[in-house]
Amino acid sequence: MVADRRQAESLAVRGDKPTREVRAGKPEATPMPPRQESSASRFLRSFGSFKMPRRLKFTREGKYFVGITLGVGFAAINTGNNLLYLLLGMLLSLMVVSSVMSELSLRTLTVTRRLPTRAQVGRAHLVEIEVYNHKKRIPSYAIEVEDLRAGQPADKRCFFLKISPSSAQVAAYRRTPARRGRDRHTGFRIATRFPFGLFEKSREVMADGELVIYPAVDPVRLPPEDRGRALGGVGTAGRGTSDETYALRPMREGDDPRDIYWRKSAITNQMILRERARETRPDVRLVVDVVRPKGAGDAFAQGFEKRIREVASRAVAHIKRGDGVVVATNLGEEARGDRNIGSDRILRFLALLDAVDEERVQEIQERRGLARGGPSRASGGQA
């Protein structure tokens, strides 16, 4: 055996493979059978799959409960009374049961948000919250969902008493926006105080959402229309399709019989055709000044918001009357609306409109000129 070992060491130093006789002297390693997983390890692995961390907050009753538990614990340690130890164990077991059952209620829940198609300042709208329980056998109790928004306090919540296994529950909350612009939703905070109300356990879920808040619209009384201005357009010289009559002439072959002027035809005993006037209704143009002067304070911001509200109100009133409306800024941006396409484009344009500092006006104009290709040609000519 000693000689075989020395021969193997010398072969290993030279890098040669050992002979069959040398290998035969060393028993080969047998593969180990697969290790069976115990129930305790499976429980720990399933417990580790919980989505941590959780936030735990004491309720008022929970603070009293913890204080009583600490007092009973100190009394049991000082006196050594078995009844006090029994009471302490019962109190601690209630805390453990509360933690486990609240964790089971929070697990495998999916929350979705349904935003309205449009929202407006000063008008309430509903936001639906749906919670789906993916657990197969265990229901979730006392679930509270809080909708989180960027830069704003979370003040809207929906409460679900029970969500059965493999089912969904829907609730809605009402919200009245106070300012226009983009309302960004960042996620949800799911919380529960089940089963004893001693602690509030919660977790946050990311779920992005965005809702554009339109500016408020006030009722506006517009001046009366010009003479000859009818619903659908203003009749002008030229043939068209308006309701006003442009001229009368005898009917020819190929004319549309729906344009026959029957009253005149009955008098002249021949078919008289009515030619319609052309519709040309000029668009109403409303301009918003978005340049913020140097040193402007809160007065400019209040006046700017008031101007946007006035323009939105007048635009909606003109569109309801049948006019075409163009809302533009003094920097060249504009949006158009009429009876066919509605006022959503204009209201969205006004909702996302922000004031621009006076120092940035030239930079913005140059940037837009480069996008259109004007200044780049000029620079090429100078070069």
Side-chain angles (χ1 to χ4, degrees), residues 15 20-21 41 58 67 74 77 83 93 95 112 123 126 157 193 199 206 212 214 228 265 298 336 352 356 367 370:
R20 183 176 299 178
E21 291 77 6
S41 61
F58 290 94
F74 287 139
I77 293 174
L83 292 178
S93 64
M95 297 175 63
T112 56
R123 290 189 178 183
L126 293 178
R157 303 180 180 181
R193 296 187 179 185
F199 314 99
M206 301 301 296
V212 178
Y214 292 167
S265 300
D298 297 337
R336 187 184 183 280
L352 303 179
V356 179
R367 189 185 308 160
L370 289 173

Side-chain angles (χ1 to χ4, degrees), residues 30-63:
T30 58
M32 296 294 294
R35 184 179 181 181
Q36 295 182 356
E37 189 177 10
S38 62
S39 59
S41 61
R42 286 197 301 268
F43 174 77
L44 292 176
R45 181 167 54 83
S46 62
F47 185 79
S49 64
F50 287 175
K51 294 182 179 180
M52 300 295 287
R54 301 284 194 262
R55 293 185 180 181
L56 192 66
K57 184 176 69 173
F58 290 94
T59 61
R60 184 179 60 180
E61 295 81 3
K63 294 178 181 179

Side-chain angles (χ1 to χ4, degrees), residues 85-114:
Y85 278 112
L86 180 63
L87 180 60
L88 176 63
M90 184 185 68
L91 295 177
L92 294 177
S93 64
L94 287 178
M95 297 175 63
V96 173
V97 169
S98 176
S99 176
V100 172
M101 297 187 70
S102 62
E103 181 64 32
L104 290 177
S105 294
L106 286 179
R107 288 188 64 191
T108 60
L109 296 179
T110 301
V111 185
T112 56
R113 179 194 305 110
R114 297 192 185 98

Side-chain angles (χ1 to χ4, degrees), residues 324-367:
V325 180
V326 175
V327 176
T329 65
N330 53 349
L331 296 182
E333 300 175 340
E334 63 180 28
R336 187 184 183 280
D338 53 26
R339 176 175 291 182
N340 296 327
I341 62 178
S343 58
D344 283 348
R345 294 182 182 178
I346 293 178
L347 293 179
R348 183 181 179 87
F349 174 76
L350 292 174
L352 303 179
L353 196 62
D354 294 328
V356 179
D357 294 333
E358 190 175 1
E359 296 83 1
R360 296 185 55 199
V361 172
Q362 186 176 359
E363 177 186 353
I364 294 175
Q365 291 177 351
E366 291 178 355
R367 189 185 308 160

Side-chain angles (χ1 to χ4, degrees), residues 235-307:
T236 60
R239 295 177 178 83
T241 59
S242 70
D243 294 335
E244 296 185 9
T245 302
Y246 173 67
L248 299 176
R249 63 173 177 83
M251 185 177 179
R252 306 187 187 98
E253 185 179 358
D255 289 336
D256 191 353
R258 291 177 297 182
D259 292 334
I260 296 177
Y261 193 29
W262 293 104
R263 184 180 301 177
K264 194 69 174 179
S265 300
I267 296 175
T268 59
N269 294 327
Q270 63 176 345
M271 292 300 179
I272 302 299
L273 196 73
R274 180 177 62 178
E275 293 185 350
R276 301 177 182 272
R278 183 172 63 248
E279 291 181 358
T280 56
R281 169 167 288 186
D283 292 338
V284 178
R285 191 174 185 85
L286 304 174
V287 181
V288 181
D289 186 6
V290 296
V291 178
R292 182 190 293 111
K294 294 182 180 180
D298 297 337
F300 175 81
Q302 296 176 1
F304 183 70
E305 294 296 331
K306 183 178 180 181
R307 176 59 179 167

